[in-house]
Amino acid sequence: MWDKIIYSFPIQLLILHLKKNLFLVALWVILAMIILQQFGTVLGIPFLFLDPEYLNQVSWQGFFLVGVTLAIFTMSFHMTTYILDGSKFKFLAVVPRPFIHYCVNNSIIPFAFYILYLVAFISFQFDNEHEDNTIILVYFLGFSAGTLTTYTLIFVYFALTNKDFFKLFADSVEKRLRKTKIPRANMLRRIKESQKAKDKVVDYLDISLRFRQVRQDLSRFETHQLLRVFDQNHLNMVLIQIALIGLILILGLFRENPFLQIPAAASSILLFSILTMVVGALAFWLRDWSTPIVIAVIIFFNFLSGTEIFNRPHAAFGMNYDSEPAIYDLDHLKEMLHPDSVEKDKNYTLQILENWKSKFPQDSKPKMVFVATSGGGQRAALWTVRVLQEAEKVSSNQFFKHTQMVTGASGGVVGAAFFRELYLRKEEEKLDLFDAKYLDQISADNLNPIIFTLLVNDLLIRNQSFEYNNRKYLKDRGYAFENQFNINTKGILEKNIGDYKIPEFESLIPMLPVTPLITNDGRKLYISPYPMSYMGISLERSEGNEEKSQGIDFQRFFAHHGANQLRFISALRMGATFPFITPNIQLPSTPGMETMDSGLSDNFGVQDALRFMYVFQDWIKENTSGVVLVSIRDSEKFSEIQQKQPPKLLEKLFTPIKNIYINWDNVQTLNNEVLYNRMKETAPFPIERIEFEYSTLQYLKEMGLADQEGVFNPNQQEILRASLNWRLTAREKKSIIDNIYSYKNQMALERLKNVMFLE
């Protein structure tokens, strides 16, 4: 009995994969860790699989497409391992429909994953608390339909074309061999390998899932005849693989059609399918030379990636890349920060401040409001819009009137820019700023087209282009992000940055500089409709002072490259460059200036707000009754210190990097605390700080997952907290929207009303 189990075909295939095909098995393990929420939970990767969104909603169609791509990945696994190892098991050649029998016996790993996935996604959907749980059955049927449809089509093809030994050699062997014009180049080697093979199999599962004894007496069949059966089957699989890759390339040509923008999970699974097929092809054709040849190819393509064809920059749409690049050196930076230029920019901003003051009664001294909003992807964008709506409502539509500047990073600035544009249009277009549809718009899925474009375009050679302001640019996943964002928000932010110069100057809306980090030297790039050079250097610097400038003014530096024509959404994207999702933008300079997410320098926007207060402290002292700094955080300011378990050996290797990542938020918070307290102590005007937090602790208490002392299970908090991503699940959106009702945030709203408007 033990031998029948160990030497059954399914178990032998499993053992073979664990010994030889670890990379292919690792892909299944990664997927399993994702759906079990053991990998990528902070970034929301599991939710892409457990709650797939298609055409901006979770539906049976999304699960259908995930089912289709998972079936394709499964068949890629079957085909690749069959090509690599099928010939080791010669008895398959005399079994009817050998490949289909191989798939049945090779299904331990896929079957285990399917069970895990079904349990995981059904449990997740039950936790979503649908009004009618029959929708979960619909999702299950959609997934099943996608899977079964794909399997049916592929297996019908193989049933019609797959031949066993007796069908292939019904005529004389000599007659069949004469029809073979080009024999396999590696046939002799494979014959020798087959003769040396010692894989023992005593029984196998047939199509009816019944065990049958393996036919051991194959001596009367010539080895090269048996191998021809596998060769014929291999050809069918190569055709299938070529068809799948061709389909992906064709989809790339029409990727802007929303019906073709499949769920991000489906795109990821297709990428795994391609990797599986590539690994199989390399291992099959290159054999022992696969490793050195792959290394040589990587080195060769690494060399080619430095050429113009393979390394075309990701552009900032609207800018002029045809003019002579701007000189990016210390002399040019020093020239732009000449004291006369800085003074000129300061005087221009003083006129903006005077226009802000003119909105209030002549003899009054109004409170000046600064909004500092943190980064955090779509989570921060939705939370920022939610807080601004409530702040405007509780202040009887006075909050944004008092707001002079909005600073911040990443998603927070995206949300603030969206609300600011709604505020600008509210009178002319009679908009209701408090309409819940704007929360739906800012939180609609942006990720599917990005991942899909990465798969069908950016991993290959980008060759499609589009025109913007009569200039041509290459399409990439950055374009996909901007295009989808425009669709989600009804094109409300489809403007050049220069279009905001007059509204900001007249103080119809607050100033909103976008401040991405320059990766070349760590400085900030201050992007606004007018120069703000005073944000990058101290005004009191003396002759011979060796102060290093902290920022570069975008308008001055790229004055000859259409700085005012920069697409505003491109500017927002520059400040919200999520690694590997939206590409780093290269600007037209020599050497090339490359930007990255604003959150790397200050994820909370506090530094820029305090810097502006310091520069204009004399005016603020004379014309206001003080400053209110409203901080909108997408994370807790105070968090419990967790007990650390002794690290294991492998954990010690990654602990230093992990500690930097985990504490980056805390380090920036502590630095901002020092700056704020110093400013509060030295400023010649009063400063009041009001903080809003997206905190899941109160939510956990209300759900009964934490006691009143705040003791909770960290794993439960991780699950309930919205992920850092450009796509949110329905449960995550509800968590963010409802968080405004927490005790802390309600007290912040009350303080805001009292401090500002009940003076």
Side-chain angles (χ1 to χ4, degrees), residues 37 231 234 249 262 317 344 487 565 579 672 734 736 746:
Q37 302 187 39
D231 284 343
H234 292 171
L249 295 176
I262 61 179
F317 305 139
K344 180 179 179 181
I487 293 172
Q565 298 175 24
N672 287 339
K734 186 177 187 302
I736 295 169
Q746 287 296 301

Side-chain angles (χ1 to χ4, degrees), residues 200-295:
K200 177 182 177 182
V201 176
V202 298
D203 55 14
Y204 67 95
L205 278 172
D206 65 9
I207 298 176
S208 302
L209 300 182
R210 291 179 298 181
F211 276 99
R212 294 187 179 275
Q213 292 295 115
V214 168
R215 183 172 184 172
Q216 301 293 341
D217 184 17
L218 300 176
S219 58
R220 67 188 184 91
F221 303 112
E222 294 291 337
T223 301
H224 70 274
Q225 295 173 354
L226 295 173
L227 287 176
R228 279 202 60 214
V229 178
F230 294 106
D231 284 343
Q232 182 268 335
N233 293 334
H234 292 171
L235 179 60
N236 290 333
M237 293 172 206
V238 169
L239 293 176
I240 288 280
Q241 293 174 347
I242 292 174
L244 291 176
I245 295 175
L247 176 62
I248 291 172
L249 295 176
I250 292 172
L251 288 176
L253 298 176
F254 306 98
R255 63 181 178 273
E256 291 175 40
N257 187 322
F259 290 97
L260 297 181
Q261 293 173 0
I262 61 179
S267 295
S268 303
I269 294 172
L270 277 182
L271 178 60
F272 276 29
S273 301
I274 293 174
L275 287 174
T276 299
M277 290 187 285
V278 168
V279 167
L282 291 175
F284 177 75
W285 292 109
L286 301 180
R287 297 283 174 164
D288 296 338
W289 287 94
S290 59
T291 300
I293 290 179
V294 167
I295 293 174

Side-chain angles (χ1 to χ4, degrees), residues 450-468:
I450 296 174
I451 302 299
F452 186 67
T453 302
L454 175 66
L455 172 68
V456 302
N457 184 73
D458 286 14
L459 289 179
L460 305 172
I461 299 176
R462 290 177 287 132
N463 55 6
Q464 288 185 292
S465 61
F466 76 106
E467 283 194 5
Y468 181 78

Side-chain angles (χ1 to χ4, degrees), residues 165-172 176:
F165 180 89
F166 299 103
K167 288 184 179 179
L168 191 61
F169 289 93
D171 297 336
S172 65
R176 288 285 181 177

Side-chain angles (χ1 to χ4, degrees), residues 407-679:
T407 58
S410 191
V413 171
V414 173
F418 177 64
F419 183 84
R420 186 181 73 152
E421 181 63 30
L422 293 173
Y423 182 84
L424 178 62
R425 298 189 183 198
K426 71 171 183 174
E427 295 298 334
E428 181 180 345
E429 301 183 13
K430 305 300 180 184
L431 298 179
D432 179 7
L433 283 176
F434 314 121
D435 196 323
K437 71 179 182 181
Y438 299 124
L439 298 176
D440 293 333
Q441 290 178 10
I442 197 64
S443 62
D445 174 52
N446 277 314
L447 193 61
N448 281 354
I450 296 174
I451 302 299
F452 186 67
T453 302
L454 175 66
L455 172 68
V456 302
N457 184 73
D458 286 14
L459 289 179
L460 305 172
I461 299 176
R462 290 177 287 132
N463 55 6
Q464 288 185 292
S465 61
F466 76 106
E467 283 194 5
Y468 181 78
N469 283 354
N470 298 319
R471 294 193 178 105
K472 185 176 289 187
Y473 304 93
L474 288 173
K475 292 181 179 180
D476 56 13
R477 59 192 186 279
Y479 168 81
F481 171 83
E482 295 183 20
N483 187 55
Q484 187 62 44
F485 184 82
N486 259 339
I487 293 172
N488 293 345
T489 58
K490 313 303 179 186
I492 196 171
L493 289 174
E494 184 52 270
K495 290 184 172 183
N496 298 332
I497 194 168
D499 293 333
Y500 286 106
K501 184 172 184 178
I502 293 177
E504 287 192 25
F505 178 77
E506 296 178 352
S507 204
L508 300 176
I509 53 175
M511 301 166 64
L512 192 152
V514 182
T515 57
L517 179 77
I518 302 172
T519 60
N520 305 63
D521 53 23
R523 291 179 170 90
K524 284 185 178 182
L525 181 65
Y526 287 93
I527 304 176
S528 71
Y530 37 79
M532 299 178 68
S533 57
Y534 51 80
M535 296 293 286
I537 196 75
S538 66
L539 301 177
E540 295 81 8
R541 68 187 191 280
S542 58
E543 195 69 30
N545 185 7
E546 295 299 324
E547 177 186 356
K548 182 176 181 178
S549 61
Q550 299 97 55
I552 297 176
D553 182 77
F554 177 78
Q555 288 292 338
R556 288 192 177 277
F557 193 91
F558 294 106
H560 303 295
H561 297 83
N564 262 324
Q565 298 175 24
L566 171 67
R567 192 185 197 185
F568 185 60
I569 303 177
S570 290
L572 294 176
R573 177 165 63 90
M574 290 167 69
T577 304
F578 200 87
F580 306 110
I581 302 300
T582 48
N584 293 354
I585 285 180
Q586 291 92 25
L587 296 170
S589 65
T590 302
M593 182 185 294
E594 189 168 308
T595 62
M596 203 167 177
D597 197 290
S598 305
L600 288 175
S601 55
D602 179 17
N603 195 47
F604 302 100
V606 172
Q607 293 179 17
D608 288 329
L610 296 177
R611 172 70 183 169
F612 188 90
M613 293 179 207
Y614 175 78
V615 172
F616 296 99
Q617 59 182 319
D618 293 337
W619 190 95
I620 294 174
K621 175 186 176 183
E622 294 297 324
N623 294 277
T624 74
S625 58
V627 165
V628 179
L629 176 61
V630 176
S631 176
I632 304 175
R633 299 175 56 100
D634 88 321
S635 60
E636 296 88 349
K637 185 175 181 178
F638 300 98
S639 57
E640 293 295 332
I641 301 172
Q642 301 297 320
Q643 179 69 38
K644 288 189 175 182
Q645 299 297 326
K648 299 180 177 63
L649 177 62
L650 291 179
E651 290 177 341
K652 290 181 180 180
L653 299 176
F654 298 100
T655 294
I657 298 176
K658 182 180 178 181
N659 287 340
I660 293 173
Y661 172 77
I662 291 175
N663 285 299
W664 189 247
D665 184 275
N666 291 327
V667 169
Q668 292 197 12
T669 296
L670 293 172
N671 288 337
N672 287 339
E673 289 293 283
V674 172
L675 294 174
Y676 171 77
N677 289 321
R678 184 178 300 167
M679 185 69 187

